[in-house]
Amino acid sequence: MTLRRRLVLSIVALVVAVSAVIGAGSIIALASIQTGAIDQQLQTATKRATNKFGQGQTSQPPGDDVLRPAGQAAGTLTAYYFTGGRAGGIVIEDDGSPSSLSADQLQRLGQVKVGIAPATIDLGSTGTYRVAAVRVDNGYLDDAVLVVGLPMSPVYQSVWSLLWVVIFVVGAALVVASVVAAVVVRRSLRPLERVAETASTVARMPLERSDALDGVRVPDTDPRTEVGRVGAAFNRMLGHIGGAMQARERSEQKVRQFVADASHELRTPLASVRGYAELTRRMGGDLPPDVVYAMSRIESESVRMTSMVEDLLLLARLDEGREIQFDDVDLTGLVFDAVNDAHAASPDHEISVDVPSTPVVVLGDAARLHQVIVNLVTNARTHTPEGTRITVGLTPVGDGVDLTVRDTGQGIDPEFLPKLFERFARADSSRSRSAGSTGLGLAIVDAVVQAHGGSVAVASVPGDTVFTVHLPAAPPEGADGAAAAGAAAAAGAAPADDAWAHVPNRA
């Protein structure tokens, strides 16, 4: 249940409870007051009846004129009980005529104790009465008891009338309280709703950029209110987060700049080292074999280090948003080129392709996409034993193209999968290695694919490992407009068959 609903229901319940308590108290008070008035009237009627009854000179049953003295109101009940069991009584009707009491009613009235406070007794069809019993002794009547009663119907009518009034008032209060509570609670919770909306907005926002939280603040910051204090604290928290993001971005920018500068500066000395090592190895006919071997090792390591430096430089430039030139790219041709190169480099692997019969064209950077395919194929053949089957496939989907590289090797350790695309990550314990690796190949794949607005995923079980690269049909936001137009033209017409003439082994 929402806070608003709980507050509205609580207010309505409180109003109803207060109204019910006030109504119940009013009804009880009214009943008590009117019962007291009836008791006073009963006392007067009893005196009147006692005086009239005591004037009798015989012990014979009194007549109606004795039981109906002057001044008695309609509905007044008078009953007498003589020693020996003789009893009688009447009730004065609305028209003033007497109505005799039944034997059952006389029996009930005879149970009323003399000299106690008035009691309420139900006389069946005659109604409920407030009665009092007194003893009468005038010298002729010994131990005669006179019972006088007044009807309680006026009290009950007043109580029922008040009860219906209370019910109506409580119902009206319920409706009015519901409307007023809903309006007041809605208005009171608006600041809290704005805080919640701001928090939801921040939760949905991608926080890659340091300026993502600029302008996102809670407007309610009045320190005199609870919500205002929460809003002020939330704004301070957003400020701290924004500052931390900016500091992180500055730090990452410095690291990227250092990597780019260091990679750029290292290329020249590495080229020199490689050149002099190669020159010494070629011209050193009289050098000892161990020196020749040392020169060859220096040359090979300089080549490997140069490749690593080039990869680091490429990653640094991709981080800065450079190195991507969008144009129409024939992915099918790139797949065949990469597979043919892999056949030459690793003839012991079974490498095949699974592509559509017509060329698959996307908008992207041909050199970088070729590097993605080469890195994935190289990763598959490098980390699987000889004889492993590798399949490179292309599948057009609704919003782009899926490039898959599947191998039947031993799979990847599930614990390593979450960090597979991190830089310098190598799953040495999960896949065999027949050659060295810098751990940057898959990181470059991830960076290039993201620069194209796509995504890369991997699924691996023993005997089946699949890397899936999804490239969208539309260029990422900020791509060159002319390139986007070229992609639209490419989507409308496929290249002619002679565009495949340069692709070997396309069958």
Side-chain angles (χ1 to χ4, degrees):
M1 188 179 296
T2 62
L3 176 60
R4 175 187 298 177
R5 183 172 298 177
R6 287 201 303 269
L7 290 176
V8 171
L9 291 180
S10 299
I11 294 174
V12 172
L14 180 62
V15 171
V16 171
V18 171
S19 302
V21 170
I22 293 176
S26 301
I27 291 174
I28 294 173
L30 176 64
S32 176
I33 292 174
Q34 290 205 339
T35 301
I38 291 292
D39 289 345
Q40 291 180 355
Q41 296 175 13
L42 180 61
Q43 185 178 4
T44 302
T46 301
K47 290 180 179 180
R48 190 181 296 118
T50 302
N51 293 336
K52 183 68 174 178
F53 191 82
Q55 295 174 2
Q57 299 299 319
T58 68
S59 60
Q60 298 299 321
D64 292 344
D65 57 338
V66 176
L67 299 178
R68 189 179 52 181
Q72 297 291 60
T76 303
L77 175 150
T78 305
Y80 63 88
Y81 297 87
F82 290 163
T83 302
R86 291 177 300 167
I90 64 169
V91 175
I92 302 176
E93 300 292 346
D94 293 338
D95 57 0
S97 62
S99 176
S100 299
L101 295 174
S102 65
D104 180 66
Q105 292 173 338
L106 290 173
Q107 181 181 1
R108 293 184 187 183
L109 291 172
Q111 297 174 359
V112 179
K113 302 298 182 181
V114 178
I116 64 173
T120 303
I121 188 170
D122 184 10
L123 297 180
S125 60
T126 305
T128 303
Y129 274 73
R130 189 77 168 170
V131 298
V134 294
R135 191 176 302 279
V136 180
D137 184 5
N138 63 355
Y140 297 94
L141 302 173
D142 296 332
D143 296 329
V145 176
L146 189 65
V147 179
V148 181
L150 291 176
M152 292 291 292
S153 56
V155 177
Y156 294 155
Q157 290 176 359
S158 299
V159 170
W160 277 107
S161 298
L162 181 59
L163 177 61
W164 285 111
V165 171
V166 169
I167 293 175
F168 175 78
V169 170
V170 171
L174 177 63
V175 175
V176 174
S178 300
V179 175
V180 174
V183 174
V184 172
V185 170
R186 181 184 296 109
R187 187 169 299 175
S188 300
L189 291 182
R190 281 178 184 172
L192 187 59
E193 291 177 352
R194 287 192 285 267
V195 173
E197 290 174 359
T198 304
S200 300
T201 301
V202 173
R204 292 191 302 266
M205 292 175 59
L207 301 181
E208 290 85 359
R209 301 188 352 259
S210 61
D211 59 347
L213 295 178
D214 291 351
V216 181
R217 292 295 185 272
V218 177
D220 305 280
T221 57
D222 189 352
R224 296 172 297 179
T225 64
E226 292 82 358
V227 177
R229 290 195 290 270
V230 172
F234 190 79
N235 288 343
R236 287 194 297 271
M237 181 184 69
L238 292 180
H240 295 330
I241 294 175
M245 292 172 58
Q246 292 176 358
R248 184 197 66 182
E249 185 175 5
R250 288 193 296 268
S251 177
E252 291 179 352
Q253 182 62 31
K254 290 180 180 179
V255 172
R256 285 196 296 267
Q257 187 63 41
F258 169 77
V259 172
D261 293 343
S263 301
H264 181 76
E265 295 298 330
L266 284 174
R267 288 193 299 179
T268 300
L270 284 174
S272 300
V273 170
R274 177 182 177 184
Y276 280 115
E278 183 177 357
L279 180 63
T280 302
R281 179 176 55 81
R282 291 182 178 180
M283 298 178 60
D286 298 332
L287 293 177
D290 56 345
V291 176
V292 174
Y293 174 75
M295 289 297 103
S296 65
R297 294 300 302 142
I298 291 174
E299 181 182 354
S300 63
E301 289 302 310
S302 64
V303 171
R304 193 173 73 89
M305 192 170 183
T306 300
S307 176
M308 183 186 299
V309 169
E310 293 292 342
D311 289 343
L312 288 173
L313 183 59
L314 174 60
L315 287 172
R317 289 176 176 175
L318 288 174
D319 289 340
E320 294 176 355
R322 297 186 292 171
E323 287 295 314
I324 298 297
Q325 301 295 326
F326 287 92
D327 202 352
D328 295 336
V329 178
D330 179 9
L331 275 183
T332 307
L334 296 182
V335 167
F336 277 109
D337 290 342
V339 170
N340 288 332
D341 294 342
H343 272 302
S346 183
D348 295 326
H349 283 79
E350 299 180 13
I351 306 177
S352 60
V353 296
D354 182 13
V355 296
S357 58
T358 57
V360 178
V361 180
V362 297
L363 185 67
D365 190 313
R368 300 282 76 86
L369 292 178
H370 180 266
Q371 189 172 11
V372 167
I373 301 173
V374 169
N375 284 5
L376 289 176
V377 175
T378 302
N379 179 76
R381 65 181 180 81
T382 302
H383 297 91
T384 56
E386 296 178 356
T388 301
R389 183 175 182 82
I390 302 172
T391 304
V392 184
L394 288 176
T395 305
V397 293
D399 58 345
V401 178
D402 282 348
L403 166 69
T404 59
V405 177
R406 181 187 299 270
D407 69 69
T408 59
Q410 62 270 39
I412 305 174
D413 186 354
E415 296 182 357
F416 184 74
L417 286 177
K419 56 183 179 180
L420 187 63
F421 296 99
E422 295 180 2
R423 300 176 187 185
F424 300 105
R426 295 189 295 187
D428 296 344
S429 61
S430 62
R431 292 161 75 100
S432 63
R433 299 180 57 207
S434 58
S437 173
T438 63
L440 295 175
L442 294 181
I444 291 176
V445 169
D446 184 56
V448 171
V449 172
Q450 288 190 19
H452 282 78
S455 61
V456 57
V458 59
S460 179
V461 294
D464 186 25
T465 298
V466 184
F467 285 85
T468 303
V469 174
H470 177 75
L471 297 173
E477 190 173 340
D480 182 75
D497 288 343
D498 57 3
W500 284 37
H502 67 286
V503 181
N505 299 328
R506 67 188 182 98

